[in-house]
Amino acid sequence: MKGVLDPLVVLPGVRRALVIGADGLLLGAVGAFDRSLDPDAFAAQLVGWVVEVERAIDPMAWSTPEQLVLEGSHGAVLLQRAERAWIAVEAAPGAALRDLAVPLEAAVGRLHRLARGLDAPAAPLPSRGEPLRDPDPRVTDTRNSERPSAHGA
């Protein structure tokens, strides 16, 4: 998750970043956490807030929010929906919240690629002269096998 969140905590004014499952479980966190703020409790609290907002807008038949912002005297929390998870960023007072929209969208993309396994390291290329091998052992090499002729030889 560090690859998803690290680019967010280097942004001006960002204190912490979290990936939270839709069930409120913390999936990853980076940034400054101390004894006064437990990351697991913070994650559960944020998703609880999302659930309350969803309940409040349900009678209006609005869809699930894609982004939520809670701004207070001690800073702001931005939550960006990422399919079955949320990416949360806590920013210091006075941080330019508009400047966080694009980096949050990019983090959602990184999270989706990670979930699909596309961020996995590539297999090393073979050395010169070494035969190419299929990474899937169930696939057999038919290049050198004898095949029956189409003409029925």
Side-chain angles (χ1 to χ4, degrees):
M1 287 297 160
K2 286 182 65 64
V4 172
L5 299 174
D6 278 347
L8 295 172
V9 294
V10 298
L11 297 171
V14 174
R15 295 179 184 151
R16 304 170 185 94
L18 305 91
V19 175
I20 310 163
D23 56 2
L25 292 176
L26 179 65
L27 302 175
V30 296
F33 287 94
D34 56 23
R35 291 180 189 193
S36 67
L37 184 62
D38 175 45
D40 292 302
F42 188 48
Q45 188 176 33
L46 291 174
V47 170
W49 176 57
V50 169
V51 169
E52 291 299 317
V53 168
E54 288 174 340
R55 252 188 236 144
I57 65 173
D58 188 50
M60 295 180 275
W62 289 3
S63 61
T64 301
E66 293 296 315
Q67 190 176 69
L68 297 170
V69 179
L70 175 63
E71 198 168 0
S73 61
H74 296 287
V77 175
L78 283 81
L79 286 150
Q80 178 70 45
R81 186 173 155 79
E83 222 169 293
R84 294 176 303 243
W86 290 88
I87 297 178
V89 170
E90 184 191 359
L97 302 180
R98 287 188 191 115
D99 294 345
L100 299 177
V102 172
L104 273 170
E105 285 288 334
V108 168
R110 288 190 299 273
L111 183 62
H112 286 177
R113 285 190 302 276
L114 181 65
R116 289 191 315 253
L118 299 179
D119 279 355
L125 294 174
S127 303
R128 177 167 257 179
E130 183 180 332
L132 293 175
R133 299 177 202 255
D134 195 312
D136 188 348
R138 298 171 293 174
V139 177
T140 58
D141 186 3
T142 59
R143 290 177 285 192
N144 295 329
S145 65
E146 292 185 28
R147 294 184 183 165
S149 170
H151 302 290

